[in-house]
Amino acid sequence: MKKNLLKNAAVQSLIASLLCIVLGLLLGFIVLLFINPSGAGEAILAVVKNFWNYSRANLQAKNFGNTLVKTAPLLMCSLSVLFAYKVGLFNIGAAGQYVVGSCACLYAALAWHWSWLPCLLLSIVVGGVYGAIVGLLKAYCNVNEVISGIMLNWIGLYTTNMLLATVKEPTSPYTLHLKTDATQAMLPTLGLGKLFSDNGNVTIAIPLAVLIAIAIMVLLDKTRLGYELKATGNNKNAAKYAGMAEKRNIILTLIIGGALAAMGGAFLYLTDFEQWSVTQSSVPGMGFNGIAAAFLGGLNPIGTIFASYFIQHITSGGAFVDLSKYSSQISDLISSLIIYLCGFVLFIKYAINMGIAKSEEKAKQKAAAADEKGGAK
Amino acid sequence: METPYAIEMLHITKRFPGIIANDDITLQLKRGEIHALLGENGAGKSTLMSVLFGLYQAEEGVIKKDGKEVTIHDPNDANDLGIGMVHQHFKLVECFTVLDNIILGVEPTKHGFLQKDEARKKVLALSEKYGLQVDPDAIVEDITVGMQQRTEILKMLYRDNEILIFDEPTAVLTPQEIDELMKIMKNLAAEGKSILFISHKLAEIMAVADRCTVLRKGKYVGTVETAKSSPEELSAMMVGRNVNFHVDKKPAHVGDVVLDIQHMTVASKTHKKDAVHDVSMKVRRGEIVCIAGIDGNGQSEFVYGLTGLEPLKSGTITLNGKDISKASIRQRSTSGMSHIPEDRHKYGLVLDYSLEDNLVLQRYFEQKFTDRIGFLRRDNIRKYADRLIDEYDVRSGQGPVTAARAMSGGNQQKAIIAREVDKDPELLVAVQPTRGLDVGAIEFVHRKLVEQRDAGKAVLLISLELDEVMDVPDRILVMYEGEIVGELDPKTTTQEELGLYMAGAKRDEVKA
Ligand SMILES: Nc1ncnc2c1ncn2[C@@H]1O[C@H](COP(=O)(O)OP(=O)(O)OP(=O)(O)O)[C@@H](O)[C@H]1O
Ligand SMILES: [Mg+2]
């Protein structure tokens, strides 16, 4: 019975993901040991504990809220990656789509004083258009989506920096605070903030992201569109043979993917939890972490909800590492090590299957040996 | 004491979810013999061979090589024991050259650098010795299936294997290539190599095999010496009844023109010369028209052009009076065209989809299967799939939810046929519809084609199989180098005459 359970694909995914997490923590621990053995145990514990590092309940709740605030955009990015992946496309451009989404909503909020809903919708449209560029290039010019995606990531970053420089604080590289300059554009909290000891950044973005994850699952599994898109992803030729509009499907997929990632940007910046720095010279990691979250979640929309949370939990937890013992980059290093290991889910799954085959073999040999002995008597 | 057996598979049992693919099967292969394996689609032949080749692990039973028990975990173990296999669906890297495919995994190297010259010499020597003609520098996706097959065989020989498994090697070959392969197999056996050979074609088995083991629904039926047996006995052992090898059909009642092709030209992907040149033809209600010809004479491209997979260079196609020359694939399909494709894995199936999802691949968008807001009607799909599975006897481990990938080759083909015929098309384009089917299933498919015809539909059959070409259609059109070179009446023509047209030795003016 136990054997059968292990052979179940869903159970395997879960075990593989958990193993990845453990391995990632272990690797992080080893690296910490090398740098400074005296604080390694404490440091890794601090990362895992994240908001529990605070002893006061209200601070715990507030920081739990903060982790959730950043989980929502990550979840959106990983849904973007996952969705495209199911259709056979690797949407590395999610990172750039996230960036232009952030740009669109911030600019509309600060320059035009739009309220939150139109800001959010603008992000979605801009992200969709940005995704469509990749889709059009792929469908009509056969340009690999990874190449064009990476290029557009950079184009997006610098365009954003340029545009948002017009709405930044005069004395810093950061964009203006919505709280002070554009309250109308803040996402409504609907009283959710109260649950996290008045954390004003906890907004409808969080439940919305979860709902969208469920919607994506329904779309993929239950609808005609999902059937078509997955068929295209699994066997392009068969999809063509069956009269599916292959080019349209590729473009549509990247439009949806772009819209999802861009919505992620809006889900973060319309909470005013962070300000955009117009001097940043690397594409934010949110989209890339989305790739890890998608795989860690077993490429299942519900799985990615938990995976995104976990990755954000570790990332936020990194801030609690004792900086008197380690340099300030350590938190990023540890969380990226763990995220890196998350990409090994498929490999671990394979290892599990090999393990099962081997142990069955052994059991068989034992049984055979026992038989022979029995026969000899 | 030395055993006469190179390989013994004793009491092998292999289970898959919902099915026992091999149930206590014993097979003994003598050194230097050609041993055929016969059984209906899904009887467990490929599974048994995959166990021997290390792709699957049997739950019970032992394998002995030269009398000694061995364990085969993976194809590398099999390779070390000198066991090689040509798979039912080839396993070549499409974008590599023939030579690269042959040496893949056993590349000769010196200081970490490839030594291709050495490999090339060995491959050319083997190719000469056994008459396996290949172009070592051709890219696999550009060459004919026949040459792909020869590449697979060279792959086995290059590894100095002495036990050779051929899983339905002849299903995709032309009659000429089959004759060649039979000769090659005999040469190999004469040299002391031992061969396991799977085929659904009894004539081939009678011609080359020394002995034949028959399986039925995963169980062992028996082993006979072919010299002392007959095709009738073998087919009775296999399906448990006598099979009618001849197609019975009433005279045709030909009606209006359904398909009218005028001056169709289709460009070739690999050559400058057009693959199909100025072809005109008509297919009417109530007739089966067959396009015969040697593989590679433009039949595939003709079908691509007709079904919309490739654009036409010039010419018109009219279906039921409607010009569809520029119509999309979907439009052609909804205007009443069905297409049983040549390559079931490339076009016919989404292998990772379940059987039921594959059965609605051409109709999932119909109101019956999708509601107005775009949700799939799962219960209707299930009901529909259950009916087709039952009606067309599609066998699999778990019924409608079985992944297409986990079905036997013949049953995958039956699923496609069920889907395309049940669409009740005005025009059924059937390309090699019986490829890889057992004799019982072939009889069934031929009956379905004739039923379509008798129901007043038009059927266009494209076949390389001479028996099929002579038996099934009402009219034969011969295609040679992309042109129709002759129209023959199967009732009055002979295989010899057909052969002359197919080889390009004879041609008439044909007007449509
Ligand atoms: N990987 C797999 N997973 C689950 N079931 C499988 C798998 N491979 C084969 N089967 C099942 O085992 C049975 C035997 O399949 P097998 O491929 O051995 O048939 P076969 O005799 O080679 O038939 P064919 O002549 O059609 O190729 C089939 O019912 C098939 O559905
Ligand atoms: Mg088979």
Side-chain angles (χ1 to χ4, degrees), chain A residues 198-246:
Chain A
D198 281 327
N199 186 334
N201 299 313
V202 177
T203 64
I204 55 165
I206 296 160
L208 259 182
V210 172
L211 283 179
I212 290 168
I214 295 170
I216 290 291
M217 187 172 73
V218 172
L219 177 70
L220 281 172
D221 287 351
K222 305 255 184 265
T223 69
R224 177 184 59 197
L225 183 64
Y227 176 94
E228 272 201 14
L229 294 182
K230 279 188 299 179
T232 310
N234 280 323
N235 185 349
K236 217 169 57 200
N237 291 313
K240 183 173 173 195
Y241 156 82
M244 297 173 187
E246 182 204 357

Coordinates of all heavy atoms in Angstrom, one line a residue, chain A residues 198-246:
Chain A
D198 N -3.0 46.0 12.0 CA -3.1 47.2 11.3 C -1.9 47.4 10.3 O -1.3 48.5 10.2 CB -3.1 48.4 12.3 CG -4.5 48.6 12.8 OD1 -5.4 48.3 12.1 OD2 -4.6 49.0 14.0
N199 N -1.7 46.4 9.5 CA -0.7 46.5 8.5 C -1.4 47.0 7.3 O -2.1 46.3 6.6 CB -0.1 45.1 8.2 CG 1.1 45.2 7.2 OD1 1.1 46.1 6.4 ND2 2.0 44.2 7.3
G200 N -1.2 48.3 6.9 CA -1.9 48.9 5.9 C -1.5 48.4 4.5 O -2.2 48.7 3.5
N201 N -0.4 47.6 4.4 CA 0.0 47.1 3.1 C -0.7 45.8 2.7 O -0.6 45.4 1.6 CB 1.5 46.9 3.1 CG 2.3 48.2 3.3 OD1 2.0 49.2 2.7 ND2 3.2 48.1 4.3
V202 N -1.4 45.3 3.7 CA -2.1 44.0 3.4 C -3.4 44.4 2.7 O -4.3 45.0 3.3 CB -2.4 43.2 4.7 CG1 -3.2 42.0 4.3 CG2 -1.1 42.8 5.3
T203 N -3.5 44.1 1.4 CA -4.7 44.5 0.6 C -5.4 43.3 0.0 O -5.0 42.2 0.1 CB -4.2 45.5 -0.5 OG1 -3.4 44.7 -1.4 CG2 -3.5 46.7 0.1
I204 N -6.3 43.7 -0.9 CA -7.1 42.7 -1.6 C -6.2 41.9 -2.6 O -6.5 40.9 -3.1 CB -8.3 43.2 -2.4 CG1 -7.8 44.4 -3.3 CG2 -9.4 43.7 -1.5 CD1 -8.8 44.8 -4.3
A205 N -4.9 42.4 -2.8 CA -4.0 41.8 -3.7 C -3.8 40.3 -3.3 O -3.7 39.5 -4.2 CB -2.7 42.5 -3.7
I206 N -3.7 40.1 -2.0 CA -3.4 38.7 -1.6 C -4.5 37.7 -1.9 O -4.3 36.7 -2.6 CB -3.0 38.7 -0.1 CG1 -1.8 39.6 0.1 CG2 -2.8 37.3 0.4 CD1 -1.5 40.1 1.5
P207 N -5.7 38.0 -1.4 CA -6.8 37.0 -1.8 C -7.0 37.0 -3.3 O -7.3 35.9 -3.9 CB -8.1 37.5 -1.1 CG -7.7 38.9 -0.7 CD -6.2 39.0 -0.5
L208 N -6.8 38.1 -4.0 CA -7.0 38.1 -5.5 C -6.0 37.2 -6.2 O -6.4 36.4 -7.1 CB -6.8 39.6 -6.0 CG -8.0 40.4 -6.3 CD1 -7.6 41.7 -6.9 CD2 -8.9 39.6 -7.3
A209 N -4.8 37.2 -5.7 CA -3.8 36.4 -6.3 C -4.1 34.9 -6.2 O -4.0 34.1 -7.1 CB -2.4 36.7 -5.7
V210 N -4.6 34.6 -5.0 CA -5.0 33.2 -4.7 C -6.2 32.8 -5.7 O -6.2 31.7 -6.3 CB -5.4 33.0 -3.3 CG1 -6.0 31.6 -3.1 CG2 -4.2 33.2 -2.4
L211 N -7.1 33.7 -5.8 CA -8.3 33.4 -6.6 C -7.8 33.3 -8.1 O -8.3 32.4 -8.8 CB -9.3 34.6 -6.6 CG -10.2 34.6 -5.3 CD1 -11.1 35.8 -5.3 CD2 -11.0 33.3 -5.2
I212 N -6.9 34.1 -8.5 CA -6.4 34.0 -9.9 C -5.7 32.6 -10.1 O -5.9 32.0 -11.1 CB -5.5 35.2 -10.2 CG1 -6.3 36.4 -10.3 CG2 -4.8 34.9 -11.6 CD1 -5.5 37.7 -10.4
A213 N -5.0 32.2 -9.1 CA -4.3 30.8 -9.2 C -5.4 29.8 -9.4 O -5.2 28.9 -10.3 CB -3.6 30.5 -7.9
I214 N -6.5 29.9 -8.7 CA -7.6 28.9 -8.9 C -8.2 29.0 -10.2 O -8.4 28.0 -10.9 CB -8.6 29.1 -7.8 CG1 -8.0 28.7 -6.4 CG2 -9.8 28.1 -8.0 CD1 -8.9 29.1 -5.2
A215 N -8.4 30.3 -10.7 CA -8.9 30.5 -12.0 C -8.1 29.9 -13.1 O -8.5 29.3 -14.0 CB -9.1 32.0 -12.2
I216 N -6.8 30.0 -12.9 CA -5.8 29.5 -13.9 C -6.0 28.0 -14.0 O -5.9 27.4 -15.0 CB -4.4 29.9 -13.6 CG1 -4.2 31.4 -13.8 CG2 -3.4 29.1 -14.4 CD1 -4.2 31.8 -15.2
M217 N -6.1 27.4 -12.8 CA -6.2 25.9 -12.8 C -7.5 25.5 -13.5 O -7.5 24.6 -14.3 CB -6.3 25.4 -11.3 CG -6.2 23.9 -11.3 SD -6.0 23.2 -9.7 CE -7.6 23.6 -9.0
V218 N -8.6 26.2 -13.2 CA -9.9 25.9 -13.9 C -9.7 26.1 -15.4 O -10.1 25.2 -16.2 CB -11.0 26.8 -13.3 CG1 -12.3 26.6 -14.1 CG2 -11.3 26.4 -11.9
L219 N -9.1 27.2 -15.8 CA -8.9 27.5 -17.2 C -8.2 26.3 -17.9 O -8.5 25.8 -18.9 CB -8.2 28.8 -17.3 CG -7.8 29.2 -18.8 CD1 -9.1 29.5 -19.5 CD2 -6.9 30.3 -18.8
L220 N -7.1 25.9 -17.2 CA -6.3 24.9 -17.9 C -6.9 23.5 -17.9 O -6.8 22.8 -18.9 CB -4.9 24.7 -17.1 CG -3.9 25.8 -17.5 CD1 -2.7 25.7 -16.5 CD2 -3.4 25.7 -18.9
D221 N -7.7 23.2 -16.8 CA -8.2 21.8 -16.7 C -9.6 21.6 -17.2 O -10.0 20.5 -17.6 CB -8.1 21.3 -15.3 CG -6.7 21.0 -14.8 OD1 -5.8 21.1 -15.7 OD2 -6.5 20.8 -13.6
K222 N -10.4 22.7 -17.2 CA -11.8 22.4 -17.4 C -12.3 23.1 -18.7 O -13.5 22.9 -19.1 CB -12.6 23.0 -16.3 CG -12.2 22.4 -14.9 CD -13.2 21.4 -14.4 CE -12.9 20.9 -13.0 NZ -12.1 19.7 -13.0
T223 N -11.6 23.9 -19.4 CA -12.2 24.7 -20.5 C -11.6 24.2 -21.8 O -10.6 23.6 -21.9 CB -11.9 26.2 -20.3 OG1 -10.5 26.4 -20.5 CG2 -12.3 26.7 -19.0
R224 N -12.3 24.7 -22.8 CA -11.9 24.4 -24.2 C -10.6 25.0 -24.5 O -9.7 24.5 -25.1 CB -13.0 24.9 -25.2 CG -12.6 24.7 -26.6 CD -13.6 25.3 -27.5 NE -13.8 26.7 -27.2 CZ -14.8 27.5 -27.6 NH1 -15.8 26.9 -28.3 NH2 -14.9 28.7 -27.3
L225 N -10.4 26.3 -24.0 CA -9.2 27.0 -24.3 C -8.0 26.3 -23.7 O -7.0 26.1 -24.3 CB -9.3 28.4 -23.7 CG -8.1 29.3 -24.0 CD1 -7.9 29.5 -25.5 CD2 -8.2 30.6 -23.2
G226 N -8.2 25.8 -22.4 CA -7.1 25.1 -21.8 C -6.8 23.8 -22.5 O -5.6 23.5 -22.7
Y227 N -7.8 23.1 -23.0 CA -7.6 21.9 -23.8 C -6.7 22.2 -25.0 O -5.8 21.5 -25.3 CB -9.0 21.3 -24.2 CG -9.0 20.1 -25.1 CD1 -9.0 18.9 -24.6 CD2 -8.9 20.3 -26.5 CE1 -9.1 17.7 -25.4 CE2 -8.9 19.2 -27.3 CZ -9.0 17.9 -26.8 OH -9.0 16.8 -27.6
E228 N -7.1 23.3 -25.7 CA -6.3 23.7 -26.9 C -4.9 24.0 -26.6 O -4.0 23.6 -27.3 CB -7.0 24.9 -27.6 CG -8.1 24.5 -28.5 CD -8.4 25.6 -29.5 OE1 -7.6 26.5 -29.6 OE2 -9.4 25.5 -30.2
L229 N -4.8 24.9 -25.6 CA -3.4 25.4 -25.2 C -2.5 24.3 -24.8 O -1.4 24.2 -25.3 CB -3.5 26.4 -24.1 CG -4.2 27.7 -24.5 CD1 -4.2 28.7 -23.4 CD2 -3.6 28.4 -25.7
K230 N -3.0 23.3 -24.0 CA -2.2 22.3 -23.6 C -1.8 21.3 -24.7 O -0.7 20.8 -24.8 CB -2.8 21.5 -22.4 CG -2.7 22.1 -21.1 CD -3.2 21.3 -19.9 CE -4.6 20.9 -20.1 NZ -5.2 20.1 -19.1
A231 N -2.8 21.1 -25.6 CA -2.5 20.3 -26.8 C -1.4 20.9 -27.6 O -0.5 20.2 -28.0 CB -3.8 20.1 -27.6
T232 N -1.5 22.2 -27.8 CA -0.4 22.9 -28.5 C 0.9 22.7 -27.8 O 2.0 22.5 -28.5 CB -0.7 24.4 -28.6 OG1 -2.1 24.6 -29.1 CG2 0.2 25.1 -29.6
G233 N 0.9 22.8 -26.5 CA 2.2 22.6 -25.8 C 2.7 21.2 -25.8 O 3.9 21.1 -25.9
N234 N 1.8 20.3 -25.8 CA 2.3 18.9 -25.8 C 2.7 18.4 -27.2 O 3.7 17.6 -27.4 CB 1.2 17.9 -25.3 CG 1.1 17.9 -23.8 OD1 2.2 18.0 -23.2 ND2 -0.1 17.9 -23.3
N235 N 2.0 18.8 -28.2 CA 2.3 18.3 -29.6 C 1.8 19.3 -30.6 O 0.6 19.3 -31.0 CB 1.7 16.9 -29.8 CG 2.1 16.4 -31.2 OD1 2.7 17.1 -32.0 ND2 1.8 15.1 -31.4
K236 N 2.7 20.2 -31.0 CA 2.4 21.3 -31.9 C 1.8 20.8 -33.2 O 0.8 21.3 -33.7 CB 3.7 22.0 -32.2 CG 3.6 23.5 -32.3 CD 5.0 24.1 -32.3 CE 5.8 23.6 -33.4 NZ 7.2 23.8 -33.3
N237 N 2.4 19.7 -33.7 CA 1.9 19.2 -35.0 C 0.5 18.6 -34.9 O -0.3 18.8 -35.8 CB 2.8 18.0 -35.4 CG 4.2 18.6 -35.8 OD1 4.3 19.6 -36.5 ND2 5.2 18.0 -35.4
A238 N 0.2 17.9 -33.8 CA -1.1 17.4 -33.6 C -2.1 18.5 -33.5 O -3.3 18.4 -34.0 CB -1.2 16.4 -32.4
A239 N -1.7 19.6 -32.8 CA -2.6 20.7 -32.6 C -3.0 21.3 -34.0 O -4.1 21.6 -34.3 CB -2.0 21.7 -31.7
K240 N -1.9 21.4 -34.8 CA -2.1 22.0 -36.1 C -3.1 21.0 -36.9 O -4.0 21.5 -37.6 CB -0.8 22.1 -36.8 CG -0.8 22.7 -38.2 CD 0.6 23.0 -38.7 CE 0.5 23.4 -40.1 NZ 1.8 23.4 -40.8
Y241 N -2.8 19.7 -36.9 CA -3.6 18.7 -37.6 C -5.0 18.8 -37.2 O -5.9 18.6 -38.0 CB -3.0 17.4 -37.3 CG -3.9 16.2 -37.4 CD1 -4.2 15.6 -38.6 CD2 -4.5 15.7 -36.3 CE1 -5.0 14.5 -38.8 CE2 -5.4 14.6 -36.4 CZ -5.6 14.0 -37.6 OH -6.5 13.0 -37.7
A242 N -5.3 19.1 -35.9 CA -6.6 19.2 -35.4 C -7.3 20.5 -35.7 O -8.4 20.8 -35.2 CB -6.7 18.9 -33.9
G243 N -6.6 21.4 -36.4 CA -7.2 22.6 -36.9 C -7.1 23.7 -35.8 O -7.9 24.7 -35.9
M244 N -6.3 23.5 -34.8 CA -6.2 24.6 -33.8 C -5.3 25.7 -34.3 O -4.4 25.4 -35.0 CB -5.6 24.0 -32.5 CG -6.4 22.9 -31.9 SD -5.6 22.2 -30.5 CE -6.7 20.8 -30.1
A245 N -5.7 26.9 -34.0 CA -4.9 28.1 -34.5 C -3.7 28.2 -33.6 O -3.6 28.9 -32.6 CB -5.8 29.3 -34.4
E246 N -2.6 27.5 -34.1 CA -1.4 27.4 -33.4 C -0.8 28.8 -33.1 O -0.4 29.1 -31.9 CB -0.5 26.5 -34.2 CG 0.8 26.1 -33.8 CD 1.6 25.8 -35.0 OE1 1.2 25.8 -36.1 OE2 2.8 25.5 -34.8

